[in-house]
Amino acid sequence: MSFAISFVVICAYWWANHRLVATLDTMSSRFVAAALVMLGFVVLLPFTTGGLGDVDSRTSGEVAAVGYALNVAMVSLCTIMLVVVAARERLYRTPPTRAQVRGKLIAQVDTPIVFLLSIPVTLLFGPLWGRYSWLLLAVTGGLFGRMGRRVRCRAGPPAARRAPA
């Protein structure tokens, strides 16, 4: 079960990264460095996911749930960082407006928020409740996604296509 969870989570991050990179005209050294930082956290996912299935006591369950929550939050924050770096360095094929970037960030911020908030839930109420709190993503994903789309729609169409350098 841990392998399946790890595989699905890594696939989701890979697909999101693929979609982001497909919108870029070029990559900068800062973008590549940020992507490597993200990759560093991605390679930890199988280990932290494995810990979720390997718990014997409340304490080890807490450590596993907190470790996994931190790991997923860090990968998610790194994906947000990639969007920011790409926007600041004007790497997009079609440069987005500030409001469009803000909309993208709003749509992505729910995952690190839910996983970081699950840490005190885990420590106060136990690892099972911490894991249950991750189910909030089913609600927050839709809410934050709609909020992000509203912000992007109000921003209007993206700026004119950038001339090749």
Side-chain angles (χ1 to χ4, degrees), residues 126-144:
L128 191 59
W129 283 104
R131 291 180 189 193
Y132 284 149
S133 71
W134 300 338
L135 296 174
L136 288 172
L137 286 174
V139 175
T140 61
L143 291 174
F144 281 76

Side-chain angles (χ1 to χ4, degrees), residues 140-153:
T140 61
L143 291 174
F144 281 76
R146 276 193 294 279
M147 287 176 9
R149 278 190 296 280
R150 278 192 209 129
V151 169
R152 285 193 303 261
C153 288

Side-chain angles (χ1 to χ4, degrees), residues 83-84 87 92 96-106 151-152:
V83 171
V84 171
Y92 286 100
T97 64
R98 285 182 185 222
Q100 288 168 326
V101 172
R102 193 173 29 242
K104 282 183 181 188
L105 298 177
I106 289 169
V151 169
R152 285 193 303 261

Side-chain angles (χ1 to χ4, degrees), residues 31-50:
F31 184 87
V32 172
L36 290 173
V37 170
M38 183 186 86
L39 186 60
F41 288 109
V42 168
V43 299
L44 293 176
L45 283 169
F47 301 106
T48 57
T49 308

Side-chain angles (χ1 to χ4, degrees), residues 6-80:
S6 180
F7 182 76
V8 169
V9 170
I10 290 171
C11 285
Y13 283 115
W14 178 84
W15 185 249
N17 189 61
H18 171 73
R19 285 191 327 226
L20 171 64
V21 171
T23 65
L24 302 180
D25 187 40
T26 186
M27 287 189 216
S28 68
S29 57
R30 279 196 181 110
F31 184 87
V32 172
L36 290 173
V37 170
M38 183 186 86
L39 186 60
F41 288 109
V42 168
V43 299
L44 293 176
L45 283 169
F47 301 106
T48 57
T49 308
L52 293 176
D54 240 4
V55 293
D56 296 334
S57 70
R58 177 182 162 93
T59 307
S60 62
E62 285 177 349
V63 170
V66 168
Y68 182 76
L70 277 172
N71 193 186
V72 171
M74 291 308 297
V75 175
S76 298
L77 289 170
C78 286
T79 62
I80 290 170

